[in-house]
Every structure is written in structure tokens, then in C-alpha cells.
Amino acid sequence: FNPDGSIKWTFTSGNWVDCTPAISSDGTIYVGSWDNKVYAINSDNGSKIWEYETNSYVIASPSLGADGKVYVGSKDSIFYAFESNGSVAWEYFAGQPISSSAALGQDGTIYFGDENGTFHAVNPDGSSKWTYEVEDVADTNKSILSSSALDLSGNIYFGSGNGNCYSITDNGQSASLNWSFPTSDRVDASPVLGINDEVFFVSRDGYLRSLST
């Protein structure tokens, strides 16, 4: 849209677009679709720069690295790193569908969850750094659908379909649990960090919570 609300252009993909687009410093828009594709779009005129077809829906939002790479997972259980020209830099097989958008650490580590409750930390070269599994809770599933929040101390915050919000620490070779906070329904939205050592998150039980980190 133009600033006055008039339509500047439209771009049509082959199916629903559920993810939030990412915009690079050069104005390129990256977005996924239920047509299984990741698109790069010119923000000036809406023309397609490139597309890449995965093997399933792309509903996670792309994340942009400081080196210009585009990171996004697909429901085909593969996490992709693209160069800005659309070539695949590497693929990481998560083993389960990915709906979670990636968060990028200061050291370039890529963090995301999968739909079976495994939280992944991936090195910038596409190799696995570590994985962390959330626990089983009766009558729930463990899916991690939201993007995680990262603080400056190396702590990672994310929610799960098992009803918990988690804080874990990246120890380099593994992750350790700081705490988990139980709610009475799914935590699918992304936690947000406040300015006073607090983390905010919502649960499907209807509550917005603020916790001390």
C-alpha cells in the first residue's frame, strides 16, 4: 500500500499467505505460501524476483541473516537457507514439519521449533548445534508453532502446545532448562521481552502473563 492507503501493487501466489513477510535492506520482500513456495518480490512494483518450491506448505515467516541469507522452514520438515539470489545455501532436515519462524542469535545460531516438540539450534553452516525436547503433557501435543525470543544473556523463550512457556539457555554443545511455566492451554504465540527483565506471553486459556525472566 501507498502511505495514503491506496494500492501500490498486488502479487498473487498460488494459495493462502499466512506468514509475515520479511523485508531486506535492499527492499526485497520474502514470503512463503500454502502453494509450497518461497517468493522474493520487488517491493517497488510487486514483480517476482525468484521463487523456490519446497515439498509442502510454507507458513513460517522468513528470517534475514546479517550476511544476507534468508532462513525459513517448511512443513516438508526441511529448514532452508537461501542466498539472496534464490540459490539454496544449505538444507537442514528437522524430521518434523516446521511452522515456527526462526530467531537468529548474535553469533549466527538459528533457533526454531518443530511440530513434535523439538527445539532446534542450527549453526550458520547448517549443521546441528543441539536439540531440546519439551516434555509430554497428557491430552496435549508438544508442537512449537511460535518464534522464540532471545535475550542478551543467551536465554531463549518459547511456547509449546503442551501449555508451557519455556526459558532455556544455549550452552554451546547443549541446552539447559532455566524454567517452564504451565498454563491450562496451548502457548502458540511468540513471547515478547520487556525492558524490566520480564517476558510477556499469551495462552489459549485467555490470559496474557508477565513473568520475571
Side-chain angles (χ1 to χ4, degrees):
F1 294 93
N2 293 307
D4 64 2
S6 61
I7 292 177
K8 186 175 183 179
W9 50 258
T10 59
F11 175 86
T12 303
S13 69
N15 209 322
W16 300 331
V17 175
D18 268 348
C19 67
T20 303
I23 306 176
S24 69
S25 56
D26 67 2
T28 303
I29 298 170
Y30 300 97
V31 69
S33 169
W34 281 63
D35 65 6
N36 301 354
K37 293 178 181 178
V38 178
Y39 293 96
I41 303 167
N42 185 313
S43 61
D44 291 328
N45 55 25
S47 62
K48 181 175 67 181
I49 300 172
W50 56 259
E51 66 178 43
Y52 182 88
E53 186 165 2
T54 73
N55 301 301
S56 190
Y57 311 144
V58 181
I59 62 175
S61 298
S63 301
L64 303 179
D67 58 359
K69 286 190 176 67
V70 181
Y71 300 103
V72 65
S74 169
K75 297 268 275 187
D76 66 6
S77 304
I78 297 173
F79 188 88
Y80 296 87
F82 297 99
E83 303 290 356
S84 57
N85 64 6
S87 63
V88 177
W90 48 259
E91 298 178 357
Y92 168 89
F93 182 62
Q96 296 289 334
I98 303 164
S99 298
S100 163
S101 304
L104 306 180
Q106 291 178 303
D107 62 355
T109 302
I110 303 139
Y111 302 101
F112 63 91
D114 69 31
E115 293 190 14
N116 195 43
T118 301
F119 191 85
H120 300 261
V122 178
N123 292 308
D125 64 0
S127 60
S128 178
K129 187 176 184 182
W130 49 257
T131 57
Y132 179 86
E133 186 99 13
V134 305
E135 69 267 28
D136 290 298
V137 176
D139 301 322
T140 69
N141 70 50
K142 300 188 293 184
S143 58
I144 300 168
L145 303 184
S146 67
S147 175
S148 56
L150 311 177
D151 69 20
L152 297 179
S153 302
N155 300 307
I156 305 154
Y157 305 87
F158 64 92
S160 169
N162 68 9
N164 291 321
C165 183
Y166 290 88
S167 170
I168 63 176
T169 297
D170 184 342
N171 298 316
Q173 302 301 315
S174 64
S176 57
L177 178 67
N178 298 319
W179 50 259
S180 65
F181 187 92
T183 74
S184 55
D185 209 336
R186 303 182 57 90
V187 181
D188 286 337
S190 303
V192 174
L193 295 172
I195 58 174
N196 296 311
D197 295 322
E198 59 203 342
V199 56
F200 301 94
F201 69 97
V202 293
S203 165
R204 289 199 187 189
D205 64 10
Y207 285 93
L208 166 65
R209 293 174 170 88
S210 170
L211 305 181
S212 166
T213 56

